[in-house]
Amino acid sequence: MAKKAGRGTTKNIFFKNQEMNFTVLRALMGVYDDGATIGECLQVVQNTKNGDNETFIKEWQLIGNLNLERAIVAKDKGDLIRARENYFRASTYFKSAMITLNPLDTRHKDFWKLSVDCFEKAGALLEFPMEIIQVELNDKTLPCYFIPAKKDKECPVIFLVTGGEGSNTEMYFWMGAYALKNGYSIFLYEGPGNFSTMYTSGLTMMSNSEVPIGKALDVLCSRSDVDIDHIAMFGISFGGYLVGRAAIFDKRIKALIPNSPLTNIHKMLISVFPSFIFNLPDWLLNFIKKYLMSYSDRATLDLLLWEGGTKTFKDGINILKAYSIEGLENKITCPTLALAGEGEGKEFEKQAKDFIENISSTEKLLRIFTNEEGAGSHCQVDNHRLMNEVVITWLNKLWKLN
């Protein structure tokens, strides 16, 4: 059941299997900031046959364990830089194993915990150590992180929101580390439905997502080291929808960067999957899922149900009808840089163009990355450093920084 759109149109280089190939690209994003090495990722590819998910998982685990062992040895010797680097890489590799797994597999939680533990150990060894932030919501908590760009000094902040298949730890490598290098503190957010929130609080997706994001902004804006007049909000994939919705309701967001700028998640999902599956009765879909679908496709469907707190595919799709900001875009007034990739598909492009046309911001720009730039895939996973440069250059010019 190949997806019709969403990942990109560039050739799958590492594996014909789209999800396995995308997982390698996600891991390679960490190369710039100690989150991966090219050789280790290629070792995983070399030792795995296309479609062999079990070997794929075991190879990520193996290379993760090697980095974890090196991190422990380095820390014991007092070599904190080498410890940090190896902890970061271990976190990436354990996360790669996790996102390959079906969330109903008990190993999914095991790899999540390994990945988070390694990330937090690495974050504690940064020049300005990462803080673990627990945002209260409905008597439960959202597990978030704050990393200052400078010690005890008020700085602009980029509030980073992951997508439906991502984690806040991954956002450090997708955008956060580059932001820190350029003088921006970062807030790594996970909301209802994301991995850490699911495992620590059991909070499934919320259509009024501006509420949990608002709670996190309350915590952020209470800090003395945050320049509350310079808070940018950046979201990838489903996070692009979440940040757009947040900006409709919360004017503490002084700059908005949705990547991609989605306005209707239900329409987007219909564009991603083959249309026939939406018309199948549950019993037939379950039969196809059990006996005919690839492991990756089953995992994708089960992730949708798990994060949404639903039991059937139709229920999972139906709840997404509430995830729309169509008709509300004109309430967005802050400066906005909307990002998209030309390979994401027609529905992604349509929603991006509709979004930028309908918002009321006087300062607004739609930047569509191309395959020629090596950046046409979903959220620029194939060239996220170019995307990083575009974002920071735009913010610096907007706020007259650096």
Side-chain angles (χ1 to χ4, degrees):
M1 192 186 73
K3 296 176 180 63
K4 294 191 297 181
R7 293 307 195 202
T9 54
T10 54
K11 183 179 179 180
N12 290 345
I13 296 174
F14 302 110
F15 296 103
K16 291 181 180 179
N17 182 290
Q18 190 177 46
E19 293 308 305
M20 292 174 68
N21 190 74
F22 199 73
T23 296
V24 176
L25 289 174
R26 285 169 69 173
L28 282 169
M29 286 195 306
V31 167
Y32 290 100
D33 300 297
D34 303 323
T37 71
I38 294 173
E40 288 171 339
C41 291
L42 291 182
Q43 183 72 6
V44 172
V45 173
Q46 179 178 298
N47 292 340
T48 307
K49 293 181 180 180
N50 181 62
D52 185 353
N53 286 280
E54 279 301 321
T55 300
F56 197 46
I57 292 161
K58 290 175 182 176
E59 288 296 323
W60 286 121
Q61 181 181 18
L62 175 62
I63 209 72
N65 284 334
L66 288 173
N67 278 270
L68 177 55
E69 291 167 7
R70 290 198 293 261
I72 293 171
V73 170
K75 189 174 182 182
D76 287 345
K77 291 181 178 180
D79 188 351
L80 301 186
I81 293 177
R82 250 53 60 188
R84 182 185 68 216
E85 292 171 349
N86 280 280
Y87 276 131
F88 269 142
R89 288 195 290 271
S91 176
T92 294
Y93 301 145
F94 290 138
K95 181 267 300 175
S96 298
M98 177 195 71
I99 62 176
T100 303
L101 280 160
N102 191 305
L104 304 183
D105 188 314
T106 56
R107 293 175 295 170
H108 187 275
K109 185 175 182 179
D110 295 337
F111 283 119
W112 161 79
K113 191 175 188 311
L114 281 167
S115 179
V116 169
D117 285 349
C118 289
F119 182 80
E120 291 181 351
K121 285 182 170 67
L125 299 176
L126 289 167
E127 180 182 3
F128 305 117
M130 180 176 74
E131 298 178 35
I132 299 173
I133 306 292
Q134 298 293 341
V135 176
E136 294 185 5
L137 177 70
N138 301 335
D139 297 323
K140 296 185 178 181
T141 57
L142 307 175
C144 303
Y145 304 105
F146 178 80
I147 306 177
K150 299 176 182 177
K151 183 176 176 59
D152 300 326
K153 186 173 181 181
E154 188 178 275
C155 293
V157 179
I158 302 182
F159 186 112
L160 298 166
V161 180
T162 188
E165 301 169 287
S167 66
N168 55 4
T169 61
E170 188 175 20
M171 293 304 295
Y172 175 83
F173 301 107
W174 214 302
M175 183 74 225
Y178 191 81
L180 288 167
K181 292 176 183 178
N182 285 273
Y184 291 83
S185 297
I186 60 172
F187 188 92
L188 303 173
Y189 171 83
E190 271 208 26
N194 288 134
F195 297 129
S196 289
T197 306
M198 289 291 292
Y199 280 129
T200 60
S201 299
L203 289 168
T204 57
M205 292 166 56
M206 294 172 54
S207 58
N208 59 337
S209 53
E210 71 278 4
V211 174
I213 289 178
K215 295 288 186 182
L217 281 170
D218 291 343
V219 173
L220 182 64
C221 291
S222 69
R223 300 180 61 96
S224 60
D225 55 357
V226 168
D227 181 351
I228 61 173
D229 293 321
H230 295 93
I231 295 176
M233 189 163 284
F234 172 96
I236 62 165
S237 195
F238 179 54
Y241 167 83
L242 296 177
V243 300
R245 184 174 180 87
I248 290 170
F249 296 95
D250 204 318
K251 300 309 174 183
R252 290 174 293 183
I253 301 168
K254 304 304 181 183
L256 177 65
I257 309 161
N259 182 11
S260 297
L262 297 168
T263 59
N264 188 308
I265 300 301
H266 185 259
K267 290 180 181 178
M268 179 276 292
L269 197 67
I270 288 175
S271 77
V272 169
F273 290 101
S275 58
F276 76 89
I277 71 169
F278 299 100
N279 300 315
L280 296 177
D282 286 334
W283 70 266
L284 182 54
L285 181 60
N286 289 335
F287 178 87
I288 293 173
K289 178 181 162 188
K290 185 174 181 179
Y291 295 106
L292 301 178
M293 279 187 187
S294 69
Y295 181 90
S296 296
D297 288 334
R298 288 197 304 272
T300 298
L301 290 182
D302 283 335
L303 181 67
L304 171 67
L305 304 185
W306 183 64
E307 292 184 334
T310 58
K311 293 184 177 181
T312 69
F313 180 67
K314 285 186 177 178
D315 287 343
I317 294 297
N318 284 335
I319 67 165
L320 293 179
K321 292 179 180 178
Y323 291 78
S324 172
I325 58 170
E326 290 178 331
L328 299 174
E329 302 100 319
N330 66 337
K331 297 183 182 296
I332 297 174
T333 57
C334 63
T336 299
L337 171 65
L339 307 176
E342 73 168 342
E344 291 181 296
K346 292 182 180 179
E347 182 62 29
F348 282 80
E349 181 179 347
K350 179 182 184 304
Q351 291 195 27
K353 290 179 176 178
D354 288 346
F355 173 87
I356 205 70
E357 180 180 346
N358 292 332
I359 64 175
S360 298
S361 310
T362 55
E363 178 82 27
K364 60 182 180 178
L365 174 67
L366 172 61
R367 172 65 154 90
I368 299 179
F369 293 89
T370 66
N371 292 333
E372 185 178 6
E373 296 174 297
S377 293
H378 186 51
C379 299
Q380 300 78 59
V381 67
D382 44 355
N383 191 356
H384 81 292
R385 188 54 101 214
L386 175 60
M387 177 271 291
N388 293 164
E389 292 175 7
V390 168
V391 170
I392 295 300
T393 299
W394 181 79
L395 280 174
N396 286 346
K397 181 180 179 181
L398 175 68
W399 289 336
K400 298 178 174 58
L401 301 174
N402 298 334

